[in-house]
């Protein structure tokens, strides 16, 4: 592709033709804030947080939706641009609950009195996204510390009906990311944008509670939501009660998927947190022994390989809770062609309650399992199938550590290796799990002469299953992930 010449913030740059101003800036480490934009989804350009000044243009341009042109001169951070972005945030906050802005602990109970943004002392902030919220981060960046506007409007009940994926419409800023991911990528079509003007909001199918909707509990809407409007229900107190209960043996499994969020929450440099520090922290927290997910995956993969070997014809395999729900909802007629094997979480719980309990001489009923992962699907599976006693995300781990003063920046990783030495003997070899992506086409490869397709999202699962249904499938092995 040809390049074009542009100037961004006085830097002469050569960038690929067809890129947006935002892409060109990011490729060159120039910061432009965004709110509705997600690089994998089509730009909605709803909030215009990403506006820039383009010389010769009569208005500010949304950088996420404006393509570069030869000779274009762009200013990303002028006073006028910053003032407009701040106004945008103030207008968003005019009808937004301010749970993370005021704090009873310091006697600051007036919603208009927003001097304290982020209290390092506190672990009881009301909002589940406190510390990892994109809106909160932008408010800090733009010093939105007063609320000049207030917009009265309807308030809605939280929808906790699933016990896992939970929606809080009052914290929704209507960026539509969840709608796009649920419809365009996952093809579940559960979420929709309904109503007009101030009444506009995101609702689940037929505006029914989530538990009565076709939601398959993949949790991808939680992943993309920039605020606390969709989240996984937390179980921090119950987990701690069990971890400290007399006669209970709590066994944890940590996935490295929680590390990026934990680093953000703990203000650590990206890539600096070692999983063994987290393991050490959890052991200090009262979890009797902790393993990493990598120690269990080998055992789990063996189950998958057995299924492939035993398959008569195409082997369609999955260990995903959300895929199981998806197949049941949309492909009930070929449900029996899909071989489901236990998730890594189920395998871990089985190993912990059976092998590990026997090894340590514990009664299997006294063993409680807790999985620490960013995978939201795990939380839903634990809640509905009991495949683990608890599944906790990075924020829950962070808040647990804050309560008891575990400092991940200082804890010695070697402590953890010593603590888990016995466990490492019991569990299998490490194999990386499949990561979700936003692509339309599945990943394909050839292994031992077999044509293999791996779906990294439910849209890809749909395409592969339709091929099976219509008789056009060309693969010997299909692995379905959500
Ligand atoms: S969603 Fe974000 S900005 Fe809103 S209360 Fe929660 S942390 Fe604060
Ligand atoms: S959990 Fe998945 S299926 Fe359910 S609403 Fe969110 S994206 Fe859609
Ligand atoms: S629920 Fe979250 S992702 Fe969905 S529109 Fe609202 S803010 Fe955006
Ligand atoms: S990020 Fe560009 S308009 Fe929202």
């Amino acid at each position: 592709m040809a390049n074009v010449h542009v100037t961004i913030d006085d830097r002469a740059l050569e960038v690929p033709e067809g890129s947006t101003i935002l892409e060109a800036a990011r490729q060159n480490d120039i910061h432009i804030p965004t709110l509705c934009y997600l690089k994998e989804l089509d730009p909605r350009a709803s909030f215009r947080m990403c506006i820039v000044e383009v010389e010769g243009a009569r208005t500010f341009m949304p950088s996420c939706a404006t393509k570069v042109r030869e000779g274009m001169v762009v200013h990303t951070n002028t006073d006028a641009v910053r003032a407009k972005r701040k106004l945008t945030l103030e207008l968003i906050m005019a009808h937004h609950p301010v749970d993370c802005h005021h704090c009873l602990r310091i006697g600051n109970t007036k919603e208009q009195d927003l001097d304290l943004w982020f209290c390092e002392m506190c672990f009881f902030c009301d909002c589940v996204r406190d510390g990892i919220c994109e809106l909160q981060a932008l408010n800090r960046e733009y010093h939105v510390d007063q609320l000049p506007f207030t917009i009265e409007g309807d308030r809605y009940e939280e929808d906790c009906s699933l016990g896992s994926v939970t929606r809080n419409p009052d914290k929704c800023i209507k960026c539509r990311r969840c709608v796009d991911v649920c419809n365009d990528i996952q093809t579940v079509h559960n979420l929709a944008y309904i109503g007009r003007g101030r009444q506009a909001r995101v609702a689940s199918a037929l505006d029914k509670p989530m538990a009565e909707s076709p939601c398959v509990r993949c949790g991808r809407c939680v992943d993309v939501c920039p605020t606390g409007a969709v989240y996984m229900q937390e179980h921090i107190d119950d987990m701690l009660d069990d971890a400290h209960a007399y006669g209970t043996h709590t066994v944890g499994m940590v996935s490295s998927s929680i590390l990026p969020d934990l680093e953000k929450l703990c203000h650590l440099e990206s890539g600096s947190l070692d999983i063994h520090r987290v393991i050490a922290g959890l052991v200090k927290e009262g979890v009797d022994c902790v393993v990493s997910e990598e120690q269990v995956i080998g055992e789990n993969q063996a189950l998958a390989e057995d299924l492939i070997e035993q398959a008569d014809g195409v082997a369609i395999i999955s260990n995903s809770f959300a895929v199981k729900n998806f197949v049941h909802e949309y492909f009930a007629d070929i449900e029996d062609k899909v071989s489901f094997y236990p998730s890594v979480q189920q395998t871990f719980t089985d190993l912990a309650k059976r092998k590990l309990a026997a090894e340590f001489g514990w009664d299997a009923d006294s063993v409680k399992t807790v999985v620490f992962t960013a995978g939201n699907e795990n939380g839903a599976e634990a809640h509905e199938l009991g495949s683990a006693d608890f599944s906790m995300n990075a924020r829950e781990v962070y808040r647990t550590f804050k309560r008891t003063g575990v400092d991940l920046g200082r804890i010695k990783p070697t402590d953890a290796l010593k603590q888990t030495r016995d466990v490492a003997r019991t569990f299998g070899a490490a194999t990386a799990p499949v990561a979700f992506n936003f692509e339309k086409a599945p990943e394909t490869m050839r292994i031992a002469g077999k044509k293999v397709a791996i779906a990294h999202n439910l849209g890809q699962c749909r395409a592969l299953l339709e091929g099976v249904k219509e008789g056009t499938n060309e693969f010997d092995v299909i692995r379905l992930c959500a």
Side-chain angles (χ1 to χ4, degrees):
M1 190 184 283
N3 283 346
V4 294
H5 299 88
V6 295
T7 305
I8 305 182
D9 293 347
D10 300 326
R11 282 174 59 190
L13 304 168
E14 210 177 305
V15 297
E17 189 178 14
S19 351
T20 61
I21 297 174
L22 181 66
E23 285 163 351
R26 288 195 171 167
Q27 278 160 20
N28 290 283
D29 294 326
I30 296 169
H31 171 64
I32 298 177
T34 54
L35 190 50
C36 45
Y37 173 82
L38 200 63
K39 79 173 184 309
E40 296 84 359
L41 299 172
D42 291 338
R44 286 285 188 179
S46 354
F47 290 117
R48 302 173 73 88
M49 263 313 287
C50 63
I51 50 162
V52 291
E53 273 185 58
V54 176
E55 287 189 8
R58 278 179 300 169
T59 54
F60 296 130
M61 305 299 286
S63 62
C64 68
T66 308
K67 298 252 165 80
V68 288
R69 275 182 287 103
E70 179 62 33
M72 193 182 239
V73 180
V74 180
H75 304 281
T76 70
N77 206 24
T78 62
D79 288 349
V81 162
R82 287 186 65 83
K84 187 82 170 72
R85 288 180 189 151
K86 183 168 180 176
L87 179 66
T88 301
L89 289 167
E90 286 170 344
L91 287 169
I92 292 172
M93 295 310 290
H95 187 60
H96 190 89
V98 286
D99 293 352
C100 64
H101 305 197
H102 66 282
C103 180
L104 293 170
R105 221 177 140 93
I106 56 159
N108 179 6
T109 56
K110 287 181 293 176
E111 291 196 354
Q112 296 292 325
D113 193 2
L114 308 178
D115 288 330
L116 190 83
W117 259 110
F118 190 63
C119 176
E120 290 295 327
M121 299 284 292
C122 182
F123 36 75
F124 286 115
C125 277
D126 291 341
C127 185
V128 290
R129 280 290 161 123
D130 181 36
I132 43 173
C133 172
E134 292 178 42
L135 176 61
Q136 185 190 53
L138 283 170
N139 282 334
R140 271 193 236 142
E141 186 181 340
Y142 283 84
H143 307 292
V144 180
D145 48 13
Q146 300 294 321
L147 290 183
F149 312 110
T150 309
I151 298 174
E152 298 302 329
D154 294 342
R155 291 285 178 203
Y156 297 92
E157 289 284 311
E158 269 188 297
D159 181 349
C160 310
S161 59
L162 279 176
S164 52
V165 182
T166 301
R167 297 187 54 245
N168 181 349
D170 285 347
K171 291 198 176 148
C172 175
I173 57 170
K174 305 178 183 85
C175 68
R176 298 183 188 229
R177 285 186 190 176
C178 59
V179 176
D180 288 350
V181 84
C182 187
N183 294 334
D184 301 347
I185 308 299
Q186 298 297 67
T187 66
V188 174
H189 301 283
N190 180 40
L191 299 177
Y193 200 63
I194 62 168
R196 284 161 179 257
R198 279 206 209 140
Q199 310 300 324
R201 66 194 163 87
V202 173
S204 48
L206 302 176
D207 206 8
K208 294 217 165 155
M210 288 286 274
E212 295 169 36
S213 77
C215 172
V216 298
R217 284 82 87 203
C218 66
R220 295 304 168 194
C221 50
V222 177
D223 289 337
V224 297
C225 181
T227 71
V230 205
Y231 65 94
M232 298 303 293
Q233 244 165 65
E234 297 193 340
H235 303 283
I236 186 167
D237 291 325
D238 296 338
M239 192 289 278
L240 281 176
D241 284 352
D242 272 355
H244 296 131
Y246 180 74
T248 296
H249 300 101
T250 311
V251 184
M253 178 180 78
V254 188
S255 157
S256 51
S257 62
I258 62 165
L259 297 180
D261 268 353
L262 262 182
E263 282 165 351
K264 247 190 247 172
L265 285 159
C266 300
H267 308 290
L268 297 172
E269 228 173 85
S270 166
S272 67
L273 186 56
D274 185 301
I275 197 163
H276 293 108
R277 285 184 198 275
V278 183
I279 291 177
L282 292 168
V283 169
K284 273 198 165 178
E285 212 52 67
V287 181
D288 292 293
C289 59
V290 188
V291 295
S292 71
E293 189 181 50
E294 283 70 23
Q295 288 171 281
V296 180
I297 283 172
E299 192 93 13
N300 186 259
Q301 197 181 31
L303 301 171
E305 279 168 16
D306 286 349
L307 286 178
I308 294 170
E309 265 179 31
Q310 290 157 12
D312 183 14
V314 54
I316 312 173
I317 60 164
S318 180
N319 65 348
S320 156
F321 171 67
V323 167
K324 193 165 196 172
N325 297 332
F326 179 78
V327 170
H328 187 68
E329 184 79 29
Y330 295 100
F331 292 92
D333 47 343
I334 55 166
E335 204 171 357
D336 59 339
K337 289 193 190 305
V338 185
S339 304
F340 288 98
Y341 62 103
S343 63
V344 178
Q345 175 168 288
Q346 273 173 304
T347 304
F348 157 68
T349 292
D350 181 51
L351 286 168
K353 296 203 179 198
R354 198 167 39 81
K355 276 197 186 173
L356 201 62
E359 190 167 311
F360 286 117
W362 296 336
D363 177 1
D365 290 340
S366 72
V367 174
K368 297 276 181 190
T369 56
V370 47
V371 174
F372 303 93
T373 176
N376 299 318
E377 189 187 348
N378 293 60
E381 188 195 72
H383 175 73
E384 290 181 40
L385 302 184
S387 57
D389 291 293
F390 303 102
S391 174
M392 294 175 74
N393 58 29
R395 189 186 147 79
E396 288 174 277
V397 173
Y398 167 74
R399 295 211 306 169
T400 312
F401 285 173
K402 278 194 107 182
R403 285 187 186 192
T404 41
V406 170
D407 181 351
L408 282 180
R410 293 175 57 192
I411 203 160
K412 294 273 188 304
T414 46
D415 294 349
L417 293 172
K418 203 165 119 223
Q419 292 279 0
T420 58
R421 195 178 48 208
D422 288 333
V423 181
R425 273 206 315 261
T426 312
F427 289 81
T431 313
V434 167
F436 170 81
N437 70 24
F438 290 81
E439 305 297 324
K440 296 285 178 200
E443 185 186 2
T444 58
M445 60 191 74
R446 208 170 249 284
I447 304 173
K450 287 186 189 287
K451 281 180 94 177
V452 180
I454 301 177
H456 291 247
N457 61 45
L458 290 173
Q460 294 173 16
C461 291
R462 182 183 287 279
L464 289 165
L465 289 169
E466 271 165 4
V468 171
K469 217 169 140 174
E470 288 159 11
T472 55
N473 168 54
E474 54 180 281
F475 298 102
D476 304 305
V477 178
I478 295 176
R479 175 148 178 234
L480 304 173
C481 305

